Amino acid sequence: MSQKIQAVRGMNDVLPSDAPAWQRLHAVAAEVFAAYGYAEIRLPVVERSELFKRAVGEVTDVVEKEMYSFEDRGGERLSLRPELTAGVVRAGIEHGLFFNRQQRLWCSGPVFRYERPQAGRYRQFHQLDVEAFGIATPDLDVEIIALAEALFRRLGVGGFRLQLNSLGTPAVRAAYRAKLVDYLRRFESSLDEDSRRRLSTNPLRVLDSKVPGTRAILEGAPQLPDHLDAPSRAHFETVQRGLSDLGIAYALNPRLVRGLDYYTHTVFEWTSTALGAQDAVCAGGRYDGLVEQLGGPPTPGIGFAIGVERLVLLMRAQEVPLPEAGPQVYFCRFGERADPAAAQLAETLRRRLPGLRLLLNAGGGALKTQLRRADASGARYALILGDDEAAAGRVQVKSLRGEGEPRSVAVSELPAQLAELLELPLLS
Ligand code: HAM
């Protein structure tokens, strides 16, 4: 045997046993997004590296250390997308979606970051991403947050903590940054190595540090919310009032700064203690300067992304009910006459009973073998068609779960009988 080839580290297969949770999440998400007036946009997985450098920021971990970048055969510098926001903005500018228009969009798919894999942290993962453009007022911040809450509620997952902060305008942030650096410089030798490096590259990220010594120093650090200008403070207070009006609980976290550079004003994150160290399931915020920074018309924006793998983990842990996926009926067939007759009958049944999941035996096999496959498939009923039955225009219906004796049913009666047994609608 040749040597086995394994999946790339940090990149996971979603096996059939996991697929129903993914399908459920995407179905509910599509419904909830449509209910709020958001339209889907689909984007390429590969973009020019320059896009992420300019959007996410050159000195962020994501761009500096985690991007999968390469030169294509034409010598172009490209990257696998490490997030979706930059691509949505790029596409919006390219197709003129932002000219004098509001846009409410969502998209989803795989994203790639070269991080150290661990539980809940992967190198290929998936995001469900929502972005809205052209509205600077805080009512949109409230809508965006309410939309994520609605999705969690509709899915039946709970136990999250919503954390909220405001980064204010770029000017507010720059002034605060200077104050923070002044303060941290006084303790430079006691900071952990990572934080020392960030002090000169991206000092706000020091606030994220989980190292106990650094955290102790941060206790006395100046706090961002104390440095907001009046309009930023008013915006943030209106967001908070709007959330309270909708009964959405939140906690203010003055240290929430986010790892991507484009944020302004409101930033937020939903976390769950059930996820362990990688506790963020959904995160986002405003990015009022990003569209312009990428060459578009001045256009405010706000959005969030859900980590699909993490939300699926929570759906499983909280035993969210999932739609049944396996076949309900397994069709056994044997004999020269029965084989094509069964194939035709299977088509008729699938057409007349919408929602029916019927697996037709393929690859032959004795009745015993086929019934073993039927049992292993998880189906509730087996249909059995041999040449004798085919000649008589009848089919045997056998319960595989001890629901009564096998019975012989006329082919003409079969659709109605199955519809009754499986509680499915019947078309003529
Ligand atoms: P982010 O915080 O980098 O934001 O990622 C959003 C979510 O993706 C996280 O909360 C987490 O659930 C999930 N996630 C991140 N990294 C990993 C990983 N290595 N493995 C598994 N899941 C992960 C963004 O990407 C922004 N673009 C969100 C946004 C949209 N802001 C405005 N609009």
Side-chain angles (χ1 to χ4, degrees):
M1 264 212 286
S2 316
Q3 216 188 345
K4 275 190 295 188
I5 297 178
Q6 293 192 321
V8 176
R9 194 163 121 82
M11 305 205 179
N12 300 311
D13 304 308
V14 177
L15 297 179
S17 54
D18 288 326
W22 286 65
Q23 286 168 356
R24 170 89 184 136
L25 172 53
H26 279 90
V28 172
E31 255 178 62
V32 171
F33 297 158
Y36 280 72
Y38 286 68
E40 186 179 7
I41 182 167
R42 297 187 180 210
L43 303 170
V45 169
V46 176
E47 299 271 3
R48 288 171 208 279
S49 305
E50 185 63 22
L51 173 67
F52 303 112
K53 284 188 191 156
R54 275 170 60 190
V56 173
E58 204 131 15
V59 291
T60 55
D61 283 353
V62 168
V63 167
E64 212 174 31
K65 301 195 241 162
E66 297 170 0
M67 278 220 293
Y68 282 86
S69 299
F70 58 97
E71 212 164 89
D72 75 1
R73 287 169 197 272
E76 216 153 3
R77 291 295 301 165
L78 303 176
S79 298
L80 300 184
R81 59 189 182 189
E83 57 113 53
L84 299 172
T85 311
V88 175
V89 172
R90 194 265 313 139
I93 295 171
E94 196 165 331
H95 301 285
L97 303 185
F98 300 138
F99 283 102
N100 301 320
R101 267 201 285 175
Q102 301 180 345
Q103 289 287 350
R104 287 175 167 85
L105 304 171
W106 70 271
C107 79
S108 69
V111 297
F112 303 83
R113 294 182 194 176
Y114 193 81
E115 293 193 84
R116 205 152 40 81
Q118 61 180 79
R121 186 162 74 191
Y122 316 109
R123 287 181 174 171
Q124 173 179 310
F125 59 100
H126 295 74
Q127 288 187 337
L128 270 169
D129 185 89
V130 170
E131 314 287 355
F133 298 92
I135 305 164
T137 46
D139 49 356
L140 183 66
D141 306 36
V142 174
E143 172 181 301
I144 281 278
I145 292 171
L147 167 53
E149 283 270 325
L151 174 55
F152 299 146
R153 207 171 341 106
R154 277 288 311 280
L155 271 177
V157 284
F160 297 126
R161 191 171 123 93
L162 167 61
Q163 299 183 52
L164 212 59
N165 194 20
S166 171
L167 305 178
T169 60
V172 164
R173 214 165 126 172
Y176 170 72
R177 182 187 148 120
K179 287 217 168 76
L180 182 68
V181 169
D182 274 354
Y183 171 84
L184 291 174
R185 286 257 181 253
R186 290 197 263 140
F187 302 93
E188 192 162 350
S189 57
S190 315
L191 291 174
D192 63 278
E193 198 187 316
D194 226 19
S195 296
R196 255 201 314 272
R197 189 177 54 81
R198 284 178 164 157
L199 197 49
S200 44
T201 57
N202 200 347
L204 257 56
R205 292 291 289 173
V206 177
L207 295 173
D208 269 355
S209 172
K210 299 210 160 77
V211 179
T214 301
R215 286 189 83 107
I217 294 168
L218 287 170
E219 288 295 323
Q223 300 223 333
L224 214 165
D226 299 334
H227 295 78
L228 291 182
D229 57 357
S232 300
R233 185 168 303 128
H235 182 105
F236 193 39
E237 282 167 3
T238 311
V239 173
Q240 293 172 53
R241 258 200 315 280
L243 293 176
S244 300
D245 288 346
L246 291 178
I248 297 174
Y250 59 86
L252 296 179
N253 177 359
R255 303 239 172 88
L256 182 67
V257 288
R258 310 278 300 120
L260 318 166
D261 270 359
Y262 46 61
Y263 292 108
T264 56
H265 295 289
T266 318
V267 289
F268 46 85
E269 213 164 274
W270 279 264
T271 54
S272 165
T273 48
L275 287 171
Q278 303 305 314
D279 61 355
V281 71
C282 175
R286 257 198 186 275
Y287 46 84
D288 287 347
L290 183 59
V291 176
E292 199 174 3
Q293 196 183 310
L294 292 178
T299 309
I302 180 168
F304 64 77
I306 290 172
V308 171
E309 282 80 357
R310 294 184 191 173
L311 190 50
V312 166
L313 274 172
L314 291 173
M315 288 168 68
R316 307 207 105 195
Q318 298 181 17
E319 294 178 10
V320 165
L322 298 175
E324 282 183 28
Q328 299 150 303
V329 174
Y330 191 101
F331 203 152
C332 306
R333 53 171 171 169
F334 43 95
E336 249 171 53
R337 186 165 176 166
D339 271 357
Q344 279 170 19
L345 185 53
E347 284 309 319
T348 305
L349 291 171
R350 293 187 189 112
R351 183 174 54 75
R352 293 197 55 198
L353 289 99
L356 172 67
R357 302 187 304 276
L358 181 150
L359 204 155
L360 176 63
N361 187 75
L367 178 59
K368 213 167 135 196
T369 311
Q370 294 195 30
L371 281 174
R372 217 176 21 241
R373 289 180 195 144
D375 201 41
S377 77
R380 247 174 96 186
Y381 295 98
L383 301 180
I384 302 167
L385 191 73
D387 280 347
D388 293 348
E389 281 103 348
R394 302 189 75 83
V395 180
Q396 259 199 68
V397 180
K398 178 179 159 63
S399 166
L400 297 167
R401 310 284 159 231
E403 299 167 84
E405 291 301 307
R407 41 189 165 144
S408 167
V409 175
V411 165
S412 58
E413 295 297 313
L414 186 63
Q417 292 246 350
L418 275 184
E420 194 175 318
L421 285 171
L422 297 168
E423 293 176 31
L424 288 171
L426 178 65
L427 304 181
S428 50

